């Protein structure tokens, strides 16, 4: 898939605008490229270092295009007549590797988290903390204080957070739903004998996180659970549509404190 994206990506590089990440993660990758390309060779270990930086920084599709453009710019700045071909060949290998590893035609971030794992709990919190504008949370239950606090932190930083949860779980001992509502986050529940059993969150209308994982301490420490994290416009729109339909359906079930 990615190999068909590569030529089209290169055609659009001259029109790519600098990313906000240009001053940190993108700069780090560019510096690493300059360092490892001094001998005109790049081995698998060095490619792994670049991959690790991109993975930890959670580059979006636009961030990656900005990175590619920056790499070409850095290379052009370094070029000398005798070394032009070697530098471009080295850069081409890096670009191909980045695109092949991280993107298909329609996607951006693609990740999986498996539990039990406290390390992956930290990664989930990292994703939640990346929200800048909106977060639509539709989960069966919230009783994990660390995850609840990540939502509260986003809310206090101006992110428009909305929560839908199950009415029975909202009243369970240890549930964080009423605490979050008390802090001013709009929360609605179903009012039905059947359960509101969804487990997904949409961040900034661009990223969806979903899977079997319940937002509980047990899910982190003991249960076999999973989450997938996907940046795909088509999927995000479908999840947002579902959230908004449920939000309207549960308009009379606003949680009050």
């Amino acid at each position: 898939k990615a190999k068909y994206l590569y030529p089209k990506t290169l055609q659009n590089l001259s029109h790519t605008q600098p990313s906000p990440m240009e001053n940190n993660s993108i700069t780090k990758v560019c510096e690493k490229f300059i360092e490892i390309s001094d001998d005109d060779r790049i081995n698998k270990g060095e490619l792994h270092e670049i991959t690790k930086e991109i993975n930890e920084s959670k580059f979006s599709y636009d961030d990656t295009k900005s990175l590619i453009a920056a790499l070409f710019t850095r290379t052009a700045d370094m070029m000398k007549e005798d070394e032009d071909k070697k530098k471009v060949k080295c850069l081409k290998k890096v670009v191909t590797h980045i695109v092949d590893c991280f993107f298909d035609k329609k996607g951006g971030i693609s990740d999986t988290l498996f539990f039990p794992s406290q390390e992956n709990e930290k990664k989930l919190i990292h994703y939640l903390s990346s929200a800048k504008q909106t977060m639509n949370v539709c989960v069966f239950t919230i009783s994990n204080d660390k995850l609840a606090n990540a939502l509260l932190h986003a809310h206090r930083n101006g992110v428009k957070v909305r929560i839908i949860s199950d009415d029975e779980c909202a009243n369970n001992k240890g549930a964080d739903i009423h605490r979050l509502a008390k802090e001013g986050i709009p929360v609605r529940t179903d009012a039905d004998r059947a359960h509101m059993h969804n487990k997904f969150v949409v961040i900034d209308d661009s990223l969806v996180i979903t899977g079997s994982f319940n937002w509980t301490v047990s899910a982190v420490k003991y249960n076999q659970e999973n989450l997938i994290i996907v940046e795909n416009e088509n999927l995000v729109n479908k999840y947002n549509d579902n959230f908004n339909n449920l939000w309207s359906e549960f308009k009379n079930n606003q949680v009050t404190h």
Side-chain angles (χ1 to χ4, degrees):
K1 296 178 181 177
K3 63 184 178 182
Y4 297 116
L5 172 66
Y6 173 58
K8 183 177 180 180
T9 301
L10 294 183
Q11 291 169 10
N12 293 330
L13 286 178
S14 61
H15 303 293
T16 303
Q17 295 298 316
S19 163
M21 300 180 72
E22 172 70 20
N23 294 325
N24 40 69
S25 297
I26 288 178
T27 300
K28 288 181 182 178
V29 176
C30 289
E31 289 174 350
K32 175 57 66 175
F33 164 70
I34 293 170
E35 176 187 335
I36 65 181
S37 64
D38 281 345
D39 58 1
D40 304 317
R41 295 181 181 179
I42 299 179
N43 59 43
K44 289 184 178 179
E46 291 167 333
L47 284 175
H48 176 73
E49 290 181 40
I50 292 176
T51 302
K52 183 179 179 182
E53 179 65 37
I54 294 171
N55 210 16
E56 290 178 350
S57 300
K58 308 301 180 188
F59 277 35
S60 68
Y61 181 66
D62 287 338
D63 291 327
T64 302
K65 288 199 296 182
S66 294
L67 168 62
I68 293 170
L71 284 169
F72 272 97
T73 299
R74 301 298 193 280
T75 300
D77 291 342
M78 293 189 298
M79 279 184 176
K80 297 179 181 178
E81 289 184 5
D82 294 337
E83 304 209 355
D84 287 355
K85 292 182 180 179
K86 292 180 180 179
K87 294 291 184 183
V88 171
K89 184 178 180 180
C90 229
L91 178 58
K92 182 179 179 181
K93 189 172 182 180
V94 174
V95 170
T96 303
H97 177 74
I98 291 171
V99 176
D100 284 345
C101 279
F102 294 98
F103 297 103
D104 60 22
K105 288 183 179 180
K106 297 181 180 178
I109 293 171
S110 178
D111 199 1
T112 55
L113 302 178
F114 294 98
F115 300 87
S117 171
Q118 291 184 313
E119 183 62 29
N120 281 341
E121 178 189 41
K122 293 177 183 177
K123 290 182 180 179
L124 175 57
I125 292 171
H126 175 79
Y127 278 114
L128 298 177
S129 300
S130 72
K132 299 293 187 293
Q133 297 177 332
T134 62
M135 199 173 346
N136 291 333
V137 182
C138 188
V139 292
F140 180 54
T141 184
I142 304 178
S143 58
N144 182 316
D145 290 345
K146 292 180 182 179
L147 300 180
N149 288 340
L151 301 183
L152 183 56
H153 180 73
H155 169 69
R156 288 174 175 170
N157 283 338
V159 176
K160 182 182 176 182
V161 180
R162 295 186 295 171
I163 300 172
I164 295 173
S165 193
D166 183 74
D167 59 337
E168 292 182 21
C169 289
N171 293 313
N172 286 347
K173 183 178 180 180
D176 288 296
I177 290 296
H178 289 279
R179 175 169 73 92
L180 294 171
K182 185 176 181 179
E183 291 288 343
I185 297 177
V187 180
R188 296 179 183 179
T189 69
D190 64 331
D192 197 303
R193 290 184 62 186
H195 288 299
M196 201 306 296
H197 207 242
N198 279 309
K199 297 147 194 174
F200 70 84
V201 54
V202 179
I203 297 174
D204 289 336
D205 295 332
S206 63
L207 191 74
V208 62
I209 303 175
T210 187
S212 68
F213 180 81
N214 278 312
W215 290 31
T216 65
V217 174
S218 293
V220 171
K221 292 186 175 181
Y222 310 113
N223 297 351
Q224 302 298 324
E225 306 281 3
N226 72 85
L227 285 171
I228 62 169
I229 300 93
V230 180
E231 185 181 31
N232 181 287
E233 183 178 357
N234 184 47
L235 290 177
V236 165
N237 288 340
K238 290 180 178 180
Y239 274 93
N240 261 340
D241 286 345
N242 181 254
F243 182 94
N244 289 325
N245 287 339
L246 292 176
W247 190 255
S248 296
E249 182 180 340
F250 302 151
K251 63 183 179 180
N252 295 323
N253 305 324
Q254 190 86 15
V255 175
T256 58
H257 54 82

